[in-house]
Amino acid sequence: MESTLMVWLIVAIVPLCGIICALTPYFMPRSECFAVTIPETAQNDARVKGMKRTYCIAVLLITGLCTVLVACVSPETIKGNDVALFTAIYMVATLLPLSSAFALMLVFRKRVQELKVQEGWVAQQQLAASVVAGATETPQPLSMRWNILYIPVFIAVAALIYALYPLMPEQIPMQVDLAGKVTSSVAKTPISACFPLFIGAFIAAVFVFCSWSILRSKRPIDPKRAASSAYAYGSFARVMSIAMLACGLALTAAIGMLIPLATVGVLTMMQAALAILVITVVIVIAALIMSFRYGQSGARVFEGVQDSQGMVRDDDRYWKLGVFYANAEDPAIFVPKRFGFGWTCNFARPATWVILIGFVLFVVAFIALISALFR
Amino acid sequence: MVITVDKTSSEPIYLQIRSQIIAAIAQGELAEGDSLPSVRGLARDLGVNLHTANKAYAVLQDEGYVRMNGRKGTTVCVPSHAANSMQRQDAQQRTLDVLRRAVVEFKACGGTQEEFVELAKAAAGASEREATTTAMPKTMREGE
């Protein structure tokens, strides 16, 4: 029963991610199409509409195909057979919609660029705007102070581990397979019992970094409608920062509580893993709903507002392959994505590389620490 | 209050920022004590060099329109409220200089003193009316 639910939830992630990818062109600001700046009125052009539709249908078809493929091997996996085959097919099924979406985006980006030249869509100015005062009325992302909420979570987890420590077996399981069989375990010590705290600290650090980057991001304001675009972006950034905090707290608390409970046998390992998987699926569904409701940078907050004529700026040349932003003159380290939901980095800034290398070092150090402590 | 800069304009960006802040003070959009964003935040949003945003604030500070309070940030300072009478005099002196230059040019084009006063009145009226329209850089530049 549990393994059935578990496998189907894992399978469900494939179509959910595929749908987000397929709908991406519809989540983007109307002044952009396949990472190309266009006049908003050009969104009503039949060719632009057609390209978006074709992209969407193609990605949906590939996603559907991949979903069917994984679903076909799932029944055997539930019985405990063909786990390696399932893993391999699952890898392909998650990566194929993503990579084909990227390839299709590049194809249509090229076509929109050609259309732009052909139609003479040129920005006469390079406008950028910033809301300087009265910013208190526009929604703001959560401040870093909210991250204090991780502290009670850690205290609760530590207290739970302390309380359950006498009940823990001499060998603490570290890894379980899809069938719930323990594949690796370590001797019980106070440090090995604290394993969930280490994982929780890692997750919290990643989410705290995300909320920090949201606060430091460039805020894209449309000079033609400064107040409403500031409001739209503010709502988007706020809801994203709330989502980051909620995800971080939920995952930290779930992993921190469920692993010790499973160790002492209150829950089975399968039930614990299932609960964490449910949280993951909820997060993916929430991402889909948020992209639908808010759109990238709040593009869908004021849906139905009259399209503006012309282009206030054109920074396409800084977007390499439509997704990598590199502008040495821009002091912003974090900028909203050009094709996708969320933020990306300005790769022309040295600070970006310091942060990226720092992040890689952090992950490597964490893995090294874990393997040193729990081997 | 929104600051909009045009990177294709021949007017330096720091002067675009400066004139818009001054216009916002003139129109009452910015009041004494209002806090302004940090140099870093402004540069990030506008996608301009940190140096550019710094220059704008430095000029405004010298002209008495903003006050830099170290870690507390930058706040708006209306020169007529300024405790510093030197800054008030400075502001008047600057206006006088601009007017003198304009008068000379106007006379050279064959204008009379009365006509100049009429035009000055009209310009003052226009800057009052602008308070109700959105602050776009083009109108700002014309107002300068």
Side-chain angles (χ1 to χ4, degrees):
Chain A
M1 168 61 205
E2 278 149 16
S3 58
T4 312
L5 194 55
M6 184 126 168
V7 169
W8 287 118
L9 279 175
I10 293 175
V11 172
I13 293 174
V14 174
L16 284 172
C17 291
I19 290 170
I20 296 180
C21 275
L23 293 176
T24 301
Y26 297 99
F27 295 153
M28 303 312 292
R30 288 181 70 79
S31 55
E32 292 161 20
C33 185
F34 295 110
V36 180
T37 312
I38 58 166
E40 286 186 2
T41 41
Q43 292 283 352
N44 304 317
D45 186 296
R47 291 160 294 181
V48 171
K49 279 185 173 172
M51 282 188 249
K52 283 161 77 171
R53 202 183 312 118
T54 313
Y55 167 92
C56 181
I57 293 170
V59 177
L60 282 179
L61 280 177
I62 294 165
T63 304
L65 213 72
C66 290
T67 310
V68 170
L69 198 66
V70 205
C72 287
V73 281
S74 296
E76 279 304 305
T77 313
I78 293 164
K79 287 180 209 152
N81 308 325
D82 299 341
V83 177
L85 180 72
F86 177 79
T87 315
I89 291 180
Y90 190 75
M91 291 278 271
V92 173
T94 39
L95 294 178
L96 194 64
L98 286 176
S99 48
S100 49
F102 180 65
L104 280 167
M105 181 274 283
L106 288 180
V107 170
F108 286 117
R109 174 171 170 261
K110 191 107 210 309
R111 287 205 203 155
V112 178
Q113 282 168 337
E114 284 160 9
L115 190 64
K116 189 171 164 177
V117 173
Q118 191 187 323
E119 293 292 321
W121 294 331
V122 183
Q124 300 297 341
Q125 296 164 302
Q126 286 290 349
L127 298 184
S130 173
V131 176
V132 161
T136 40
E137 290 117 66
T138 49
Q140 302 284 330
L142 295 183
S143 82
M144 290 299 279
R145 274 189 218 133
W146 281 88
N147 291 312
I148 292 172
L149 286 176
Y150 283 104
I151 294 172
V153 172
F154 281 116
I155 292 174
V157 172
L160 184 73
I161 292 172
Y162 182 76
L164 295 178
Y165 189 71
L167 303 173
M168 287 183 193
E170 284 314 306
Q171 286 290 315
I172 297 181
M174 286 284 125
Q175 215 171 21
V176 251
D177 65 7
L178 264 177
K181 239 193 339 255
V182 177
T183 51
S184 129
S185 61
V186 291
K188 170 174 143 180
T189 62
I191 289 182
S192 66
C194 284
F195 178 70
L197 272 180
F198 284 92
I199 299 285
F202 179 79
I203 295 171
V206 170
F207 279 95
V208 168
F209 171 76
C210 290
S211 18
W212 178 76
S213 67
I214 294 177
L215 278 165
R216 309 277 299 184
S217 163
K218 179 202 277 298
R219 296 172 295 182
I221 306 291
D222 179 353
K224 283 189 179 171
R225 20 176 130 90
S228 60
S229 62
Y231 182 88
Y233 176 77
S235 331
F236 162 78
R238 184 173 179 79
V239 80
M240 287 292 276
S241 70
I242 294 172
M244 287 295 161
L245 184 70
C247 287
L249 288 174
L251 285 173
T252 313
I255 290 175
M257 304 277 184
L258 294 167
I259 297 180
L261 286 173
T263 310
V264 297
V266 175
L267 295 170
T268 65
M269 276 291 171
M270 274 307 258
Q271 284 166 336
L274 193 61
I276 292 164
L277 191 62
V278 168
I279 295 175
T280 312
V281 172
V282 168
I283 290 172
V284 179
I285 293 174
L288 181 61
I289 294 171
M290 284 197 302
S291 4
F292 219 87
R293 173 73 187 74
Y294 288 89
Q296 166 67 345
S297 294
R300 292 172 70 91
V301 171
F302 288 94
E303 229 203 335
V305 165
Q306 176 102 41
D307 287 328
S308 65
Q309 304 260 338
M311 289 149 59
V312 289
R313 61 174 158 250
D314 185 345
D315 50 0
D316 292 358
R317 64 185 179 284
Y318 301 120
W319 286 92
K320 317 293 176 201
L321 295 173
V323 289
F324 300 107
Y325 184 65
N327 180 359
E329 276 156 32
D330 190 341
I333 300 174
F334 304 105
V335 293
K337 278 185 192 169
R338 237 333 152 64
F339 193 77
F341 195 61
W343 288 266
T344 182
C345 296
N346 179 359
F347 290 97
R349 294 233 58 97
T352 299
W353 292 99
V354 172
I355 290 172
L356 285 182
I357 293 167
F359 184 74
V360 171
L361 288 180
F362 170 68
V363 174
V364 170
F366 177 77
I367 293 170
L369 180 76
I370 289 294
S371 17
L373 286 178
F374 307 108
R375 259 301 128 83
Chain B
M1 191 252 155
V2 179
I3 291 184
T4 308
V5 296
D6 182 359
K7 284 164 205 162
T8 55
S9 163
S10 58
E11 188 185 15
I13 291 170
Y14 83 96
L15 288 181
Q16 293 182 34
I17 299 173
R18 168 194 169 268
S19 55
Q20 285 178 68
I21 297 221
I22 296 175
I25 295 174
Q27 293 160 3
E29 271 190 86
L30 287 177
E32 175 75 25
D34 280 357
S35 57
L36 292 175
S38 66
V39 171
R40 217 165 262 281
L42 184 68
R44 196 159 58 212
D45 283 355
L46 296 177
V48 300
N49 207 300
L50 214 59
H51 186 54
T52 306
N54 248 324
K55 263 162 70 183
Y57 277 6
V59 168
L60 287 163
Q61 192 185 6
D62 282 348
E63 294 174 351
Y65 293 109
V66 303
R67 203 181 285 128
M68 314 273 246
N69 307 322
R71 286 199 65 83
K72 270 200 245 156
T74 309
T75 51
V76 172
C77 184
V78 179
S80 65
H81 292 197
N84 187 344
S85 66
M86 215 175 78
Q87 281 185 340
R88 274 204 300 271
Q89 279 176 7
D90 272 4
Q92 275 185 4
Q93 189 60 47
R94 271 198 307 276
T95 314
L96 206 60
D97 289 346
V98 171
L99 282 174
R100 275 194 193 126
R101 233 178 297 141
V103 161
V104 170
E105 277 180 34
F106 190 70
K107 274 189 179 166
C109 296
T112 66
Q113 193 179 329
E114 288 72 32
E115 282 168 349
F116 184 81
V117 171
E118 278 310 307
L119 277 176
K121 270 189 193 160
S127 87
E128 285 291 304
R129 277 195 301 280
E130 262 173 30
T132 53
T133 61
T134 50
M136 288 296 282
K138 213 178 151 212
T139 56
M140 296 294 101
R141 282 202 296 280
E142 282 163 6
E144 248 207 325

